[in-house]
């Protein structure tokens, strides 16, 4: 891996390079995505089935697009028992963590006759996109469905591309059933996102769409936003390790490569105050790359977006980590908890040499759907809050409104909104001072 000494110019150059991975920059795909989304919106099932034949090579129609109970039973029987047990353990951790995020409605009443509050209501329906084909991503299934189920969403719809045989990967399907999906449909790509957003004869529309996917899925979610809500426009995966001379170089190298193997646009960065650690990590990375199965992807990823950054002080290293705002941030320093208090921008923070990133991907419990491409500066991990909406509650008695009604009228008039002012004024017209104080409840 390349070793770069940090200064203002090198930091700005690296930030600029990382931002090039933003899916919003891939305009060349937008026209194709817009065409797919528009056609599904207009032609519904007809377009959905045609695109499934074109892109997935599967003969899907209204009779077989929805996964049946029999298919789910067959899928579960095909999953290796050991893997099933691991998924159940992970699911327990994920559910337990997200149950701590649950918010409740609240009301605050005052003696003057006012009641203010917030009503928390689960979304009625959510669509979860899961990549499919030959690959299986049961961890993504659990991470996207369980928070919705914990939030109280009644209808959780999963869509995933079928294989050419018209079947869904059995591990993916089993994870969906374990997590709480109420419906599963054999559809993928931009066409599946459009079907969830607008509805077809076979797939009723949903209120929100979440889940990972390729550039076509990401741009389709962007295209339908406003018709439905979405989680985010996710970019390529990324990790930043913040380390000092106490870190184990083999551990750090292995953790950097755990994200670099995702794809050629993945980013893996070490920021350290130790030149010796930088050298040892670079050598360990080279050794691991020669041994690991996804060698070509690893080499491309590291060539494009892999860096070892040498900082002059831990303060400079922390400032750089906050500027990059990585999806995954590992802190491997003498006192990681102290460093953590100075981190403002990160999707998930892993502390200590035994809290490696895959622990969060699969098992610990916190969600692995995280903000990418610097959006950790203003976005949060996927969680229960993403599957609820909040309504404000306002109640004023006549006695509570009367002392302030002229203030509201004055405010409305200052904005030139005379109908607003009149809405308040009519409630107190023609009343004597004594009548103004009478109860209106």
């Amino acid at each position: 891996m390349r070793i770069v000494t940090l200064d203002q110019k090198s930091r700005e150059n690296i930030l600029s390079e990382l931002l090039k991975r933003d899916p919003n920059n891939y305009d060349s795909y937008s026209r194709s995505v817009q065409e797919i989304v528009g056609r599904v919106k207009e032609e519904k099932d007809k377009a959905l089935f045609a695109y499934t034949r074109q892109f997935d090579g599967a003969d899907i129609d209204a009779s077989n697009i929805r996964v049946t109970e029999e298919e789910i039973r067959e899928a579960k029987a095909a999953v290796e028992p050991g893997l099933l047990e691991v998924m159940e353990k992970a699911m327990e951790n994920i559910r337990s963590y997200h149950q701590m995020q649950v918010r409740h409605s609240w009301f605050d009443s005052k003696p003057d006759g006012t009641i203010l509050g917030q009503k928390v209501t689960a979304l009625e329906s959510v669509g979860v996109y899961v990549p499919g084909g030959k690959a299986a991503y049961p961890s993504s299934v659990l991470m996207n469905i369980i928070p919705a189920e914990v939030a109280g969403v009644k209808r959780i719809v999963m869509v995933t591309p079928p294989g050419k045989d018209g079947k869904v990967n059995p591990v993916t399907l089993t994870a969906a059933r374990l997590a709480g999906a109420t419906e599963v449909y054999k559809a993928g790509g931009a066409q599946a996102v459009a079907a969830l957003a607008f509805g077809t004869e076979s797939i009723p529309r949903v209120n929100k769409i979440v889940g990972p996917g390729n550039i076509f899925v990401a741009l389709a979610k962007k295209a339908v936003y406003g018709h439905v809500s979405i989680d985010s426009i996710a970019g390529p995966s990324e990790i930043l390790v913040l380390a000092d001379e106490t870190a184990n170089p083999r551990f750090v190298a292995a953790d950097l490569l755990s994200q670099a193997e995702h794809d050629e646009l993945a980013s893996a960065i070490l920021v350290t105050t130790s030149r010796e650690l930088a050298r040892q990590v670079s050598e360990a990375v080279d050794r691991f790359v020669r041994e690991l199965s996804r060698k070509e992807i690893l080499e491309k990823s590291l060539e494009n977006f892999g860096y070892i950054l040498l900082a002059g002080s831990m303060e400079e290293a922390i400032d750089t980590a906050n500027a990059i705002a990585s999806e995954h941030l590992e802190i491997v320093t003498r006192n990681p908890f102290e460093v953590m208090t100075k981190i403002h921008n990160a999707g998930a923070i892993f502390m200590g040499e035994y809290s490696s990133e895959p622990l969060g991907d699969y098992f610990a419990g916190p969600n692995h759907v995280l903000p990418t491409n610097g959006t950790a500066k203003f976005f949060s991990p996927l969680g229960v809050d993403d599957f609820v909406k909040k309504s404000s509650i306002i109640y004023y008695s006549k006695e509570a409104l009367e002392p302030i009604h002229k203030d509201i009228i004055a405010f409305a008039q200052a904005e030139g909104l005379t109908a607003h002012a009149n809405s308040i004024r009519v409630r107190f017209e023609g009343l004597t001072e004594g009548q103004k104080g009478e109860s209106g409840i």
Side-chain angles (χ1 to χ4, degrees), residues 97-407:
Y97 180 86
H98 286 86
Q99 282 172 340
M100 298 295 290
Q101 298 179 344
V102 173
R103 298 195 191 196
H104 302 283
S105 300
W106 58 268
F107 300 90
D108 182 36
S109 60
K110 304 284 188 187
D112 64 0
T114 65
I115 300 175
L116 299 178
Q118 182 172 267
K119 185 176 185 292
V120 179
T121 308
L123 301 182
E124 294 176 1
S125 57
V126 169
V128 176
Y129 187 94
V130 176
K134 294 181 180 179
Y137 299 98
S139 61
S140 287
V141 176
L142 302 183
M143 292 291 184
N144 281 275
I145 292 178
I146 289 175
E149 188 264 339
V150 170
V153 178
K154 299 299 182 189
R155 181 170 173 256
I156 303 174
V157 181
M158 190 180 90
V159 293
T160 189
K164 291 184 178 180
D165 58 0
K167 295 184 177 180
V168 175
N169 184 289
V171 176
T172 300
L173 195 51
T174 300
R177 169 49 58 90
L178 290 174
T182 58
E183 304 162 36
V184 180
Y185 294 95
K186 304 167 186 174
Q191 61 272 21
V193 173
L196 290 172
F198 301 112
T200 73
E201 294 88 347
S202 297
I203 304 178
R205 70 182 300 276
V206 298
N207 297 129
K208 185 167 187 170
I209 301 172
V210 302
N214 61 19
I215 187 64
F216 292 95
V217 171
L219 291 177
K221 286 165 71 176
K222 180 182 178 182
V224 301
Y225 177 66
H227 298 281
V228 293
S229 179
I230 61 172
D231 50 354
S232 65
I233 309 296
S237 190
E238 55 200 28
I239 186 172
L240 187 148
V241 179
L242 186 58
D244 61 16
E245 71 282 357
T246 66
N248 183 314
R250 278 176 55 81
F251 291 179
V252 173
D255 292 355
L256 292 171
L257 294 175
S258 73
Q259 292 308 290
E261 77 168 342
H262 272 294
D263 63 59
E264 295 175 1
L265 294 177
S267 166
I269 299 173
L270 165 64
V271 184
T272 182
T273 52
S274 170
R275 184 175 294 277
E276 179 61 17
L277 179 72
R279 181 189 65 78
Q280 292 176 336
V281 169
S282 180
E283 292 174 356
V285 164
D286 292 342
R287 287 194 297 271
F288 279 133
V289 168
R290 289 194 292 268
E291 301 168 3
L292 295 168
S293 62
R294 296 168 71 87
K295 180 180 177 181
E296 290 184 12
I297 293 175
L298 288 168
E299 289 176 338
K300 272 291 185 184
S301 171
L302 295 175
E303 178 185 339
N304 293 331
F305 302 107
Y307 300 92
I308 296 176
L309 306 180
L310 267 175
S313 66
M314 184 52 65
E315 287 70 27
E316 183 183 30
I318 291 169
D319 287 345
T320 300
N322 281 322
I324 293 174
S326 184
E327 177 188 19
H328 306 97
L329 171 65
E330 290 188 5
I331 303 175
V332 194
T333 60
R334 184 173 282 103
N335 190 341
F337 286 89
E338 180 184 351
V339 173
M340 179 270 293
T341 64
K342 301 174 184 178
I343 296 296
H344 308 300
N345 305 322
I349 302 172
F350 302 77
M351 295 187 292
E353 64 180 6
Y354 288 97
S355 302
S356 62
E357 188 280 335
L359 173 67
D361 265 358
Y362 297 113
F363 208 78
N367 211 289
H368 77 196
V369 180
L370 302 166
T372 59
N373 243 67
T375 60
K377 293 175 182 176
F378 47 83
F379 277 146
S380 304
L382 189 73
V384 171
D385 275 355
D386 289 286
F387 300 101
V388 301
K389 55 192 178 71
K390 306 172 186 87
S391 302
S392 301
I393 302 296
I394 302 167
Y395 170 81
Y396 268 58
S397 67
K398 182 179 179 181
E399 290 86 351
L401 182 60
E402 192 276 328
I404 61 167
H405 80 281
K406 290 182 180 178
D407 296 333

Side-chain angles (χ1 to χ4, degrees), residues 1-19:
M1 286 182 72
R2 79 196 100 175
I3 299 176
V4 178
T5 300
L6 265 176
D7 56 29
Q8 186 64 29
K9 184 175 181 181
S10 64
R11 190 162 90 173
E12 289 175 358
N13 288 342
I14 290 167
L15 287 170
S16 177
E17 285 298 308
L18 292 176
L19 288 173

